[in-house]
mmCIF file of all heavy atoms in Angstrom:
data_model
loop_
_atom_site.group_PDB
_atom_site.id
_atom_site.type_symbol
_atom_site.label_atom_id
_atom_site.label_comp_id
_atom_site.label_asym_id
_atom_site.label_seq_id
_atom_site.Cartn_x
_atom_site.Cartn_y
_atom_site.Cartn_z
ATOM 1 N N ASN F 1 0.835 -1.205 0.000
ATOM 2 C CA ASN F 1 0.000 0.000 0.000
ATOM 3 C C ASN F 1 0.869 1.254 0.000
ATOM 4 O O ASN F 1 0.552 2.244 -0.675
ATOM 5 C CB ASN F 1 -0.930 0.010 1.211
ATOM 6 C CG ASN F 1 -2.077 -0.958 1.065
ATOM 7 O OD1 ASN F 1 -2.488 -1.297 -0.047
ATOM 8 N ND2 ASN F 1 -2.614 -1.424 2.185
ATOM 9 N N TYR F 2 1.969 1.222 0.758
ATOM 10 C CA TYR F 2 2.914 2.340 0.749
ATOM 11 C C TYR F 2 3.487 2.534 -0.658
ATOM 12 O O TYR F 2 3.566 3.658 -1.158
ATOM 13 C CB TYR F 2 4.052 2.082 1.730
ATOM 14 C CG TYR F 2 3.774 2.417 3.169
ATOM 15 C CD1 TYR F 2 2.505 2.256 3.713
ATOM 16 C CD2 TYR F 2 4.778 2.886 4.002
ATOM 17 C CE1 TYR F 2 2.260 2.551 5.034
ATOM 18 C CE2 TYR F 2 4.538 3.194 5.329
ATOM 19 C CZ TYR F 2 3.274 3.018 5.841
ATOM 20 O OH TYR F 2 3.019 3.328 7.153
ATOM 21 N N GLN F 3 3.903 1.433 -1.280
ATOM 22 C CA GLN F 3 4.503 1.526 -2.609
ATOM 23 C C GLN F 3 3.516 2.125 -3.607
ATOM 24 O O GLN F 3 3.884 2.959 -4.454
ATOM 25 C CB GLN F 3 4.957 0.148 -3.083
ATOM 26 C CG GLN F 3 5.684 0.162 -4.417
ATOM 27 C CD GLN F 3 7.000 0.910 -4.358
ATOM 28 O OE1 GLN F 3 7.903 0.535 -3.626
ATOM 29 N NE2 GLN F 3 7.118 1.994 -5.122
ATOM 30 N N SER F 4 2.268 1.730 -3.521
ATOM 31 C CA SER F 4 1.252 2.260 -4.419
ATOM 32 C C SER F 4 1.074 3.766 -4.230
ATOM 33 O O SER F 4 0.978 4.531 -5.204
ATOM 34 C CB SER F 4 -0.082 1.537 -4.185
ATOM 35 O OG SER F 4 -1.080 2.059 -5.028
ATOM 36 N N GLU F 5 1.069 4.212 -2.978
ATOM 37 C CA GLU F 5 0.944 5.647 -2.699
ATOM 38 C C GLU F 5 2.163 6.417 -3.214
ATOM 39 O O GLU F 5 2.030 7.523 -3.761
ATOM 40 C CB GLU F 5 0.774 5.878 -1.203
ATOM 41 C CG GLU F 5 -0.552 5.387 -0.630
ATOM 42 C CD GLU F 5 -0.632 5.656 0.872
ATOM 43 O OE1 GLU F 5 -0.264 6.769 1.300
ATOM 44 O OE2 GLU F 5 -1.046 4.745 1.608
ATOM 45 N N ILE F 6 3.346 5.858 -3.036
ATOM 46 C CA ILE F 6 4.581 6.496 -3.520
ATOM 47 C C ILE F 6 4.560 6.607 -5.037
ATOM 48 O O ILE F 6 4.883 7.660 -5.608
ATOM 49 C CB ILE F 6 5.807 5.704 -3.038
ATOM 50 C CG1 ILE F 6 5.988 5.870 -1.525
ATOM 51 C CG2 ILE F 6 7.075 6.157 -3.781
ATOM 52 C CD1 ILE F 6 6.970 4.902 -0.906
ATOM 53 N N ASP F 7 4.163 5.537 -5.711
ATOM 54 C CA ASP F 7 4.090 5.561 -7.178
ATOM 55 C C ASP F 7 3.170 6.681 -7.656
ATOM 56 O O ASP F 7 3.489 7.410 -8.605
ATOM 57 C CB ASP F 7 3.574 4.215 -7.699
ATOM 58 C CG ASP F 7 4.587 3.103 -7.561
ATOM 59 O OD1 ASP F 7 5.765 3.391 -7.271
ATOM 60 O OD2 ASP F 7 4.197 1.934 -7.735
ATOM 61 N N THR F 8 2.021 6.817 -6.992
ATOM 62 C CA THR F 8 1.055 7.842 -7.386
ATOM 63 C C THR F 8 1.582 9.242 -7.113
ATOM 64 O O THR F 8 1.515 10.134 -7.979
ATOM 65 C CB THR F 8 -0.273 7.632 -6.632
ATOM 66 O OG1 THR F 8 -0.813 6.350 -6.968
ATOM 67 C CG2 THR F 8 -1.281 8.710 -6.998
ATOM 68 N N GLN F 9 2.146 9.455 -5.929
ATOM 69 C CA GLN F 9 2.621 10.784 -5.552
ATOM 70 C C GLN F 9 3.754 11.270 -6.444
ATOM 71 O O GLN F 9 3.811 12.450 -6.819
ATOM 72 C CB GLN F 9 3.067 10.783 -4.095
ATOM 73 C CG GLN F 9 3.587 12.138 -3.604
ATOM 74 C CD GLN F 9 3.890 12.137 -2.111
ATOM 75 O OE1 GLN F 9 3.312 11.370 -1.349
ATOM 76 N NE2 GLN F 9 4.801 12.994 -1.688
ATOM 77 N N PHE F 10 4.669 10.361 -6.804
ATOM 78 C CA PHE F 10 5.856 10.756 -7.555
ATOM 79 C C PHE F 10 5.750 10.441 -9.048
ATOM 80 O O PHE F 10 6.690 10.709 -9.799
ATOM 81 C CB PHE F 10 7.089 10.088 -6.960
ATOM 82 C CG PHE F 10 7.465 10.627 -5.605
ATOM 83 C CD1 PHE F 10 6.906 10.103 -4.457
ATOM 84 C CD2 PHE F 10 8.353 11.687 -5.483
ATOM 85 C CE1 PHE F 10 7.232 10.600 -3.199
ATOM 86 C CE2 PHE F 10 8.690 12.198 -4.234
ATOM 87 C CZ PHE F 10 8.120 11.662 -3.097
ATOM 88 N N GLY F 11 4.635 9.871 -9.465
ATOM 89 C CA GLY F 11 4.433 9.594 -10.882
ATOM 90 C C GLY F 11 5.332 8.513 -11.438
ATOM 91 O O GLY F 11 5.713 8.556 -12.618
ATOM 92 N N PHE F 12 5.680 7.518 -10.610
ATOM 93 C CA PHE F 12 6.552 6.449 -11.072
ATOM 94 C C PHE F 12 5.795 5.502 -12.007
ATOM 95 O O PHE F 12 4.622 5.183 -11.783
ATOM 96 C CB PHE F 12 7.113 5.662 -9.893
ATOM 97 C CG PHE F 12 8.052 6.453 -9.025
ATOM 98 C CD1 PHE F 12 8.163 6.190 -7.667
ATOM 99 C CD2 PHE F 12 8.835 7.471 -9.560
ATOM 100 C CE1 PHE F 12 9.023 6.920 -6.860
ATOM 101 C CE2 PHE F 12 9.705 8.203 -8.769
ATOM 102 C CZ PHE F 12 9.796 7.927 -7.415
ATOM 103 N N SER F 13 6.487 5.027 -13.014
ATOM 104 C CA SER F 13 5.904 4.154 -14.031
ATOM 105 C C SER F 13 6.269 2.701 -13.780
ATOM 106 O O SER F 13 7.449 2.365 -13.668
ATOM 107 C CB SER F 13 6.406 4.581 -15.419
ATOM 108 O OG SER F 13 6.190 3.572 -16.373
ATOM 109 N N ARG F 14 5.275 1.837 -13.713
ATOM 110 C CA ARG F 14 5.557 0.404 -13.545
ATOM 111 C C ARG F 14 6.304 -0.143 -14.758
ATOM 112 O O ARG F 14 7.140 -1.039 -14.620
ATOM 113 C CB ARG F 14 4.240 -0.354 -13.333
ATOM 114 C CG ARG F 14 4.407 -1.869 -13.161
ATOM 115 C CD ARG F 14 5.205 -2.200 -11.906
ATOM 116 N NE ARG F 14 5.512 -3.607 -11.808
ATOM 117 C CZ ARG F 14 4.802 -4.481 -11.081
ATOM 118 N NH1 ARG F 14 3.739 -4.063 -10.400
ATOM 119 N NH2 ARG F 14 5.130 -5.748 -11.013
ATOM 120 N N ILE F 15 6.028 0.428 -15.923
ATOM 121 C CA ILE F 15 6.729 -0.035 -17.131
ATOM 122 C C ILE F 15 8.228 0.235 -17.000
ATOM 123 O O ILE F 15 9.062 -0.640 -17.289
ATOM 124 C CB ILE F 15 6.165 0.649 -18.388
ATOM 125 C CG1 ILE F 15 4.721 0.197 -18.639
ATOM 126 C CG2 ILE F 15 7.037 0.343 -19.610
ATOM 127 C CD1 ILE F 15 4.030 0.945 -19.765
ATOM 128 N N ARG F 16 8.594 1.428 -16.560
ATOM 129 C CA ARG F 16 10.013 1.738 -16.391
ATOM 130 C C ARG F 16 10.642 0.893 -15.286
ATOM 131 O O ARG F 16 11.817 0.506 -15.387
ATOM 132 C CB ARG F 16 10.206 3.228 -16.097
ATOM 133 C CG ARG F 16 10.009 4.117 -17.316
ATOM 134 C CD ARG F 16 10.304 5.572 -16.994
ATOM 135 N NE ARG F 16 11.690 5.808 -16.633
ATOM 136 C CZ ARG F 16 12.680 5.989 -17.496
ATOM 137 N NH1 ARG F 16 12.442 5.943 -18.799
ATOM 138 N NH2 ARG F 16 13.924 6.225 -17.072
ATOM 139 N N GLU F 17 9.876 0.602 -14.237
ATOM 140 C CA GLU F 17 10.394 -0.276 -13.183
ATOM 141 C C GLU F 17 10.693 -1.664 -13.748
ATOM 142 O O GLU F 17 11.714 -2.283 -13.412
ATOM 143 C CB GLU F 17 9.393 -0.371 -12.031
ATOM 144 C CG GLU F 17 9.128 0.934 -11.302
ATOM 145 C CD GLU F 17 10.369 1.552 -10.672
ATOM 146 O OE1 GLU F 17 11.285 0.810 -10.285
ATOM 147 O OE2 GLU F 17 10.411 2.794 -10.579
ATOM 148 N N ASP F 18 9.824 -2.151 -14.602
ATOM 149 C CA ASP F 18 10.049 -3.471 -15.214
ATOM 150 C C ASP F 18 11.264 -3.446 -16.134
ATOM 151 O O ASP F 18 12.032 -4.418 -16.192
ATOM 152 C CB ASP F 18 8.805 -3.911 -15.989
ATOM 153 C CG ASP F 18 7.638 -4.254 -15.077
ATOM 154 O OD1 ASP F 18 7.865 -4.464 -13.865
ATOM 155 O OD2 ASP F 18 6.492 -4.311 -15.571
ATOM 156 N N VAL F 19 11.453 -2.343 -16.856
ATOM 157 C CA VAL F 19 12.639 -2.207 -17.705
ATOM 158 C C VAL F 19 13.902 -2.239 -16.848
ATOM 159 O O VAL F 19 14.893 -2.909 -17.184
ATOM 160 C CB VAL F 19 12.583 -0.904 -18.526
ATOM 161 C CG1 VAL F 19 13.925 -0.645 -19.224
ATOM 162 C CG2 VAL F 19 11.472 -0.970 -19.559
ATOM 163 N N ALA F 20 13.870 -1.538 -15.716
ATOM 164 C CA ALA F 20 15.031 -1.509 -14.809
ATOM 165 C C ALA F 20 15.326 -2.902 -14.276
ATOM 166 O O ALA F 20 16.495 -3.301 -14.163
ATOM 167 C CB ALA F 20 14.771 -0.543 -13.652
ATOM 168 N N THR F 21 14.289 -3.656 -13.960
ATOM 169 C CA THR F 21 14.489 -5.016 -13.453
ATOM 170 C C THR F 21 15.122 -5.896 -14.520
ATOM 171 O O THR F 21 16.031 -6.688 -14.229
ATOM 172 C CB THR F 21 13.150 -5.619 -12.994
ATOM 173 O OG1 THR F 21 12.595 -4.786 -11.966
ATOM 174 C CG2 THR F 21 13.343 -7.025 -12.444
ATOM 175 N N ARG F 22 14.666 -5.767 -15.761
ATOM 176 C CA ARG F 22 15.255 -6.568 -16.843
ATOM 177 C C ARG F 22 16.716 -6.180 -17.067
ATOM 178 O O ARG F 22 17.571 -7.050 -17.309
ATOM 179 C CB ARG F 22 14.451 -6.397 -18.131
ATOM 180 C CG ARG F 22 13.086 -7.064 -18.089
ATOM 181 C CD ARG F 22 12.510 -7.222 -19.483
ATOM 182 N NE ARG F 22 12.261 -5.947 -20.127
ATOM 183 C CZ ARG F 22 11.143 -5.243 -19.995
ATOM 184 N NH1 ARG F 22 10.161 -5.690 -19.211
ATOM 185 N NH2 ARG F 22 10.983 -4.096 -20.633
ATOM 186 N N MET F 23 17.006 -4.884 -16.977
ATOM 187 C CA MET F 23 18.399 -4.449 -17.112
ATOM 188 C C MET F 23 19.243 -5.020 -15.977
ATOM 189 O O MET F 23 20.372 -5.489 -16.194
ATOM 190 C CB MET F 23 18.487 -2.924 -17.124
ATOM 191 C CG MET F 23 19.911 -2.405 -17.274
ATOM 192 S SD MET F 23 20.005 -0.601 -17.302
ATOM 193 C CE MET F 23 19.281 -0.277 -18.904
ATOM 194 N N ALA F 24 18.708 -4.986 -14.764
ATOM 195 C CA ALA F 24 19.440 -5.514 -13.616
ATOM 196 C C ALA F 24 19.746 -6.998 -13.782
ATOM 197 O O ALA F 24 20.787 -7.485 -13.319
ATOM 198 C CB ALA F 24 18.649 -5.277 -12.332
ATOM 199 N N SER F 25 18.864 -7.715 -14.455
ATOM 200 C CA SER F 25 19.072 -9.159 -14.639
ATOM 201 C C SER F 25 20.299 -9.458 -15.487
ATOM 202 O O SER F 25 20.819 -10.576 -15.457
ATOM 203 C CB SER F 25 17.835 -9.791 -15.278
ATOM 204 O OG SER F 25 17.716 -9.441 -16.645
ATOM 205 N N ARG F 26 20.783 -8.448 -16.222
ATOM 206 C CA ARG F 26 21.951 -8.654 -17.078
ATOM 207 C C ARG F 26 23.247 -8.163 -16.441
ATOM 208 O O ARG F 26 24.314 -8.260 -17.042
ATOM 209 C CB ARG F 26 21.737 -7.944 -18.424
ATOM 210 C CG ARG F 26 20.557 -8.479 -19.216
ATOM 211 C CD ARG F 26 20.580 -7.988 -20.641
ATOM 212 N NE ARG F 26 20.289 -6.567 -20.737
ATOM 213 C CZ ARG F 26 19.065 -6.064 -20.898
ATOM 214 N NH1 ARG F 26 18.016 -6.870 -20.951
ATOM 215 N NH2 ARG F 26 18.888 -4.750 -20.996
ATOM 216 N N ILE F 27 23.146 -7.608 -15.239
ATOM 217 C CA ILE F 27 24.333 -7.082 -14.563
ATOM 218 C C ILE F 27 24.986 -8.173 -13.725
ATOM 219 O O ILE F 27 24.311 -8.878 -12.962
ATOM 220 C CB ILE F 27 23.943 -5.878 -13.682
ATOM 221 C CG1 ILE F 27 23.474 -4.717 -14.565
ATOM 222 C CG2 ILE F 27 25.121 -5.442 -12.809
ATOM 223 C CD1 ILE F 27 22.947 -3.536 -13.784
ATOM 224 N N LYS F 28 26.274 -8.297 -13.853
ATOM 225 C CA LYS F 28 27.020 -9.310 -13.109
ATOM 226 C C LYS F 28 27.077 -8.949 -11.632
ATOM 227 O O LYS F 28 27.322 -7.812 -11.259
ATOM 228 C CB LYS F 28 28.439 -9.415 -13.648
ATOM 229 C CG LYS F 28 29.310 -10.430 -12.914
ATOM 230 C CD LYS F 28 30.732 -10.421 -13.456
ATOM 231 C CE LYS F 28 31.620 -11.385 -12.678
ATOM 232 N NZ LYS F 28 33.020 -11.372 -13.154
ATOM 233 N N THR F 29 26.822 -9.929 -10.782
ATOM 234 C CA THR F 29 27.010 -9.769 -9.339
ATOM 235 C C THR F 29 28.074 -10.754 -8.872
ATOM 236 O O THR F 29 28.414 -11.698 -9.586
ATOM 237 C CB THR F 29 25.703 -10.008 -8.565
ATOM 238 O OG1 THR F 29 25.237 -11.337 -8.842
ATOM 239 C CG2 THR F 29 24.632 -9.013 -8.972
ATOM 240 N N ASN F 30 28.619 -10.512 -7.661
ATOM 241 C CA ASN F 30 29.588 -11.475 -7.142
ATOM 242 C C ASN F 30 28.860 -12.653 -6.497
ATOM 243 O O ASN F 30 27.627 -12.720 -6.509
ATOM 244 C CB ASN F 30 30.573 -10.799 -6.178
ATOM 245 C CG ASN F 30 29.886 -10.144 -5.005
ATOM 246 O OD1 ASN F 30 28.878 -10.632 -4.507
ATOM 247 N ND2 ASN F 30 30.427 -9.028 -4.548
ATOM 248 N N ASP F 31 29.587 -13.563 -5.941
ATOM 249 C CA ASP F 31 29.002 -14.811 -5.447
ATOM 250 C C ASP F 31 28.598 -14.745 -3.978
ATOM 251 O O ASP F 31 28.354 -15.769 -3.348
ATOM 252 C CB ASP F 31 29.997 -15.964 -5.647
ATOM 253 C CG ASP F 31 30.250 -16.247 -7.121
ATOM 254 O OD1 ASP F 31 29.316 -16.051 -7.909
ATOM 255 O OD2 ASP F 31 31.376 -16.643 -7.471
ATOM 256 N N ILE F 32 28.531 -13.558 -3.430
ATOM 257 C CA ILE F 32 28.176 -13.402 -2.019
ATOM 258 C C ILE F 32 26.678 -13.570 -1.823
ATOM 259 O O ILE F 32 25.872 -13.074 -2.616
ATOM 260 C CB ILE F 32 28.618 -12.011 -1.514
ATOM 261 C CG1 ILE F 32 30.148 -11.919 -1.488
ATOM 262 C CG2 ILE F 32 28.048 -11.708 -0.129
ATOM 263 C CD1 ILE F 32 30.673 -10.529 -1.202
ATOM 264 N N THR F 33 26.282 -14.314 -0.786
ATOM 265 C CA THR F 33 24.882 -14.382 -0.390
ATOM 266 C C THR F 33 24.675 -13.386 0.733
ATOM 267 O O THR F 33 25.129 -13.590 1.865
ATOM 268 C CB THR F 33 24.506 -15.805 0.078
ATOM 269 O OG1 THR F 33 24.776 -16.720 -0.989
ATOM 270 C CG2 THR F 33 23.031 -15.883 0.455
ATOM 271 N N ILE F 34 23.988 -12.292 0.424
ATOM 272 C CA ILE F 34 23.911 -11.186 1.387
ATOM 273 C C ILE F 34 23.167 -11.580 2.654
ATOM 274 O O ILE F 34 23.458 -11.085 3.746
ATOM 275 C CB ILE F 34 23.278 -9.943 0.720
ATOM 276 C CG1 ILE F 34 23.665 -8.676 1.488
ATOM 277 C CG2 ILE F 34 21.781 -10.082 0.570
ATOM 278 C CD1 ILE F 34 25.115 -8.312 1.395
ATOM 279 N N ALA F 35 22.226 -12.514 2.548
ATOM 280 C CA ALA F 35 21.489 -12.958 3.736
ATOM 281 C C ALA F 35 22.422 -13.603 4.750
ATOM 282 O O ALA F 35 22.229 -13.469 5.970
ATOM 283 C CB ALA F 35 20.381 -13.930 3.336
ATOM 284 N N ASP F 36 23.444 -14.308 4.274
ATOM 285 C CA ASP F 36 24.396 -14.951 5.183
ATOM 286 C C ASP F 36 25.245 -13.922 5.925
ATOM 287 O O ASP F 36 25.738 -14.188 7.026
ATOM 288 C CB ASP F 36 25.317 -15.896 4.402
ATOM 289 C CG ASP F 36 24.575 -17.096 3.842
ATOM 290 O OD1 ASP F 36 23.470 -17.401 4.334
ATOM 291 O OD2 ASP F 36 25.094 -17.717 2.890
ATOM 292 N N ILE F 37 25.431 -12.768 5.332
ATOM 293 C CA ILE F 37 26.232 -11.721 5.957
ATOM 294 C C ILE F 37 25.412 -10.936 6.973
ATOM 295 O O ILE F 37 25.869 -10.634 8.072
ATOM 296 C CB ILE F 37 26.789 -10.778 4.875
ATOM 297 C CG1 ILE F 37 27.763 -11.545 3.975
ATOM 298 C CG2 ILE F 37 27.474 -9.565 5.505
ATOM 299 C CD1 ILE F 37 28.191 -10.777 2.754
ATOM 300 N N VAL F 38 24.171 -10.612 6.617
ATOM 301 C CA VAL F 38 23.347 -9.735 7.452
ATOM 302 C C VAL F 38 22.704 -10.478 8.616
ATOM 303 O O VAL F 38 22.620 -9.967 9.733
ATOM 304 C CB VAL F 38 22.271 -9.043 6.591
ATOM 305 C CG1 VAL F 38 21.311 -8.231 7.464
ATOM 306 C CG2 VAL F 38 22.922 -8.154 5.535
#
């Protein structure tokens, strides 16, 4: 519900968010599992 309100207030586009996610899927990450660290 917070995310929905933020999207509306700031005019964020779900389409652009999906594009960003697809771009992120192509970015190399290291082999660290962050949950094990935190």
